[in-house]
Amino acid sequence: MSLENAPDDVKLAVDLIALLEEHAIAPETVLSALEMVKRDFERKLRESAGDA
């Protein structure tokens, strides 16, 4: 599958992986940061569902 035809979430994941690897960020730091990001976006999703 070509990346240009991939779903948006796959494109974003590939971009994030490349960015994190380019900056040689420790895997532990990446996972901790991703957990924070996940919690933030889950909160935003809950809040937006409450607005509907």
Side-chain angles (χ1 to χ4, degrees):
M1 171 192 279
S2 167
L3 190 56
E4 68 184 36
N5 296 325
D8 287 342
D9 57 343
V10 172
K11 290 178 189 178
L12 179 58
V14 169
D15 287 345
L16 289 171
I17 290 167
L19 178 68
L20 295 166
E21 288 181 351
E22 285 172 15
H23 292 280
I25 299 172
E28 298 83 7
T29 302
V30 169
L31 292 174
S32 177
L34 288 173
E35 279 299 319
M36 290 180 223
V37 170
K38 183 177 185 231
R39 285 192 303 268
D40 183 62
F41 276 87
E42 286 172 339
R43 179 187 53 79
K44 290 175 183 179
L45 188 60
R46 283 191 310 272
E47 289 174 358
S48 69
D51 292 341

